[in-house]
Amino acid sequence: MRITFCQGVLALAIVINLLILYYVSRLQQRMLHRHRDHVQPSSRLLPVPQRPGVTVIIREFEDFENYVPDVVQSFLKQKPEQPVMVAADTLPYPPLVLPDAPNVQLVILKPAPDQPAHVSRPEMYVKTEYVALVPDGVKVDSTRQLDRMLEEFKANQGRVQMVAAPVQSLAPLQCLTLKVSLRKWTAEYSVAPSTRLCTALKGDAVILLRTKDLFNLSTPLAKPLLTSLFIQTSLRGWTVRILDVSFSSAHQPLLSSSHNQWKAENRAKASRLQLFRDFGIKQVLLEDGKQQWFGCSKETPRCFGTVHDDTPEYLYQNRWTPPCCLQALRETAKYVINILESSGVRYWLEGGTLLGAARHQDIIPWDYDVDLGIYLEDIPNCDLLRNVESGSIVDEKGFVWEKAIEGDFYRVQYSEHNHLHVDLWPFYPKNGLMTKDTWMDHRQDVEFPEHFLKPLLPLPFAGFTALAPNNYRSFLELKFGAGVIENPEYPNPAQKKLDKGK
């Protein structure tokens, strides 16, 4: 059988492709074996002794395009014995071609079912007293750069917990102040009053800190790395000083194509979203005044489940109502009140909602719904309330109007997906008292004199003006007890008491 020229070329191409696949497979297996063999499995976890010096950690890079091998070579060129650790969630593909040296380690952070736990723990690979977090694309110009950072760190010891050397780029490194409130689910960035002393940074930098400090953080190498790092360190009151030392960037821009840039941006957004979910951050206030939300919306369920014993789950986590939930409650309350006013339904702020208006001019920071009283006789004035007797109604704005299943009252939910709600309690006068047909097992759920509603008075609430009982202090003390405005407490102190020291 004769072989044509085209058949020969095709056969040669197949052979070459097979050789390439074999080489890549062998290279990746070699990297995996190096990672697994670095720490031998043992029956117990031994502490890693620390010696003077700095370990370079390269954590944030894209597997589809990066310059990690160049960064490693850059450090080794200046100092061949420099310890370097490359940390990745999973084995990078295409494989990283790293120097075959004992001081260069690739650490896979995702645990493997056939390996002991400490193999995926990066702190087991660091034997130096300090670490330097190095971004992709950095070029080392001098053996003195890390040494100078270490000298500056020691000179500022006790005043700062980290030092930073800017990486030269088109966007200069920015010094920020970061305030994180886990109780309020928020992170707030602002421009720092100093250009050198910060609690967070915006831009690329090499960060040096103590090894024990880094690995005492709950998630020391979570991505995005600097966002994660500074959220954790700001909660501990740490600061970072920007130094006069700087590093050059060997590659600007870091990614060579718009497609790769798009992939990297999408991955960064996904990592940021996951990080804020893991940390319980629902609202981020940026230094330019913009806001970012990572909580619930009309298209998603609310941030907490069914409430038991008047104590929502977040109170047991020592947190208050997520800001996205408060925002949804404000929006729903304003919308419902506008409908009631335009329909001629008399209403007033009730119970804990009135207490929030009196104390905060807003919803109580740990409350989970809004309560309004209405006159029973006015219900026929509102088409939505009148028509829900035959079934729930989704109005043109997506709010859900329904008759509550718990009793003879009405409920307006934020959406079909999100069940944050306003409850409407119908009262009617009887012998000078306002009463109703459904009573809940709440201390404040009692009859009250009608004169508190004649007249109703405007009161600032949740960014707008609502109507409230006249002499609201006496009204609230009748329902809750004396001094209730000045003495806040959780709704069910028997289950969870407010820590007034925080």
Side-chain angles (χ1 to χ4, degrees), residues 347-359:
Y347 76 91
W348 60 94
L349 302 178
E350 252 295 344
T353 301
L354 177 61
L355 182 57
R359 188 187 291 151

Side-chain angles (χ1 to χ4, degrees), residues 251-266:
H251 301 277
Q252 286 286 342
L254 196 59
L255 300 171
S256 60
S257 70
S258 57
H259 176 69
N260 281 356
Q261 184 66 41
W262 172 81
K263 284 176 64 176
E265 288 172 358
N266 281 346

Side-chain angles (χ1 to χ4, degrees), residues 234-274:
S234 68
L235 285 167
R236 292 160 173 78
W238 296 4
T239 54
V240 54
R241 179 176 292 279
I242 299 177
L243 306 178
D244 290 328
V245 183
S246 65
F247 287 80
S248 59
S249 178
H251 301 277
Q252 286 286 342
L254 196 59
L255 300 171
S256 60
S257 70
S258 57
H259 176 69
N260 281 356
Q261 184 66 41
W262 172 81
K263 284 176 64 176
E265 288 172 358
N266 281 346
R267 285 191 176 187
K269 287 178 183 177
S271 294
R272 187 176 171 86
L273 176 61
Q274 188 60 53

Side-chain angles (χ1 to χ4, degrees), residues 276-325:
F276 287 134
R277 283 177 176 169
D278 292 342
F279 284 176
I281 301 295
K282 307 274 187 186
Q283 183 185 24
V284 177
L285 307 171
L286 300 176
E287 69 280 359
D288 59 4
K290 295 179 181 178
Q291 297 186 45
Q292 294 178 338
W293 292 91
F294 298 91
C296 63
S297 68
K298 268 188 176 291
E299 290 72 40
T300 66
R302 68 185 185 182
C303 297
F304 55 95
T306 302
V307 176
H308 299 279
D309 299 318
D310 300 322
T311 307
E313 60 193 69
Y314 49 78
L315 292 185
Y316 292 107
Q317 302 166 10
N318 295 316
R319 294 182 178 231
W320 288 348
T321 311
C324 46
C325 298

Side-chain angles (χ1 to χ4, degrees), residues 131-148:
V131 292
L133 305 176
V134 177
D136 191 14
V138 164
K139 180 183 177 183
V140 183
D141 301 309
S142 165
T143 56
R144 287 285 299 153
Q145 285 170 295
L146 281 182
D147 292 339
R148 284 187 59 196

Side-chain angles (χ1 to χ4, degrees), residues 167-473:
V167 176
Q168 297 169 6
S169 65
L170 299 176
L173 189 64
Q174 191 173 4
C175 185
L176 302 176
T177 295
L178 172 58
K179 296 179 181 178
V180 178
S181 172
L182 295 181
R183 170 173 274 186
K184 296 181 179 180
W185 311 75
T186 58
E188 182 177 359
Y189 294 86
S190 59
V191 177
S194 166
T195 58
R196 293 289 184 182
L197 195 61
C198 335
T199 51
L201 301 173
K202 183 178 181 180
D204 291 331
V206 175
I207 311 289
L208 187 141
L209 69 163
R210 288 183 180 275
T211 300
K212 66 177 183 180
D213 288 345
L214 175 66
F215 290 113
N216 274 328
L217 300 177
S218 58
T219 53
L221 296 179
K223 296 170 70 174
L225 184 59
L226 294 192
T227 303
S228 166
L229 176 70
F230 293 129
I231 287 175
Q232 295 176 84
T233 58
S234 68
L235 285 167
R236 292 160 173 78
W238 296 4
T239 54
V240 54
R241 179 176 292 279
I242 299 177
L243 306 178
D244 290 328
V245 183
S246 65
F247 287 80
S248 59
S249 178
H251 301 277
Q252 286 286 342
L254 196 59
L255 300 171
S256 60
S257 70
S258 57
H259 176 69
N260 281 356
Q261 184 66 41
W262 172 81
K263 284 176 64 176
E265 288 172 358
N266 281 346
R267 285 191 176 187
K269 287 178 183 177
S271 294
R272 187 176 171 86
L273 176 61
Q274 188 60 53
L275 177 73
F276 287 134
R277 283 177 176 169
D278 292 342
F279 284 176
I281 301 295
K282 307 274 187 186
Q283 183 185 24
V284 177
L285 307 171
L286 300 176
E287 69 280 359
D288 59 4
K290 295 179 181 178
Q291 297 186 45
Q292 294 178 338
W293 292 91
F294 298 91
C296 63
S297 68
K298 268 188 176 291
E299 290 72 40
T300 66
R302 68 185 185 182
C303 297
F304 55 95
T306 302
V307 176
H308 299 279
D309 299 318
D310 300 322
T311 307
E313 60 193 69
Y314 49 78
L315 292 185
Y316 292 107
Q317 302 166 10
N318 295 316
R319 294 182 178 231
W320 288 348
T321 311
C324 46
C325 298
L326 288 174
Q327 195 68 10
L329 287 173
R330 294 184 190 106
E331 183 182 336
T332 307
K334 184 177 182 179
Y335 179 77
V336 170
I337 285 173
N338 284 339
I339 295 289
L340 297 178
E341 289 179 344
S342 63
S343 301
V345 176
R346 289 168 290 175
Y347 76 91
W348 60 94
L349 302 178
E350 252 295 344
T353 301
L354 177 61
L355 182 57
R359 188 187 291 151
H360 309 283
Q361 293 77 55
D362 201 349
I363 298 168
I364 293 174
W366 50 83
D367 210 349
Y368 51 89
D369 63 4
V370 169
D371 292 311
L372 300 177
I374 59 173
Y375 270 87
L376 178 64
E377 64 191 77
D378 292 347
I379 288 176
N381 298 342
C382 178
D383 291 340
L384 288 164
L385 291 178
R386 186 174 64 250
N387 293 333
V388 296
E389 296 292 342
S390 58
S392 61
I393 299 171
V394 181
D395 69 17
E396 59 182 4
K397 299 294 186 181
F399 294 90
V400 181
W401 297 69
E402 63 184 12
K403 194 76 176 289
I405 61 174
E406 298 94 333
D408 192 19
F409 63 99
Y410 301 88
R411 178 164 289 163
V412 184
Q413 296 181 158
Y414 187 45
S415 74
E416 292 182 275
H417 301 288
N418 191 323
H419 294 172
L420 289 161
H421 58 265
V422 172
D423 285 336
L424 304 174
W425 301 92
F427 284 82
Y428 57 90
K430 183 179 180 181
N431 300 324
L433 294 177
M434 295 301 291
T435 188
K436 56 189 175 79
D437 294 330
T438 295
W439 298 95
M440 311 300 285
D441 188 22
H442 297 154
R443 177 184 179 185
Q444 70 271 21
D445 204 15
V446 297
E447 296 177 332
F448 60 90
E450 188 181 12
H451 67 72
F452 281 111
L453 307 181
K454 293 185 174 181
L456 293 166
L457 298 178
L459 191 65
F461 173 69
F464 60 98
T465 300
L467 294 178
N470 62 73
N471 195 0
Y472 62 79
R473 176 178 289 276

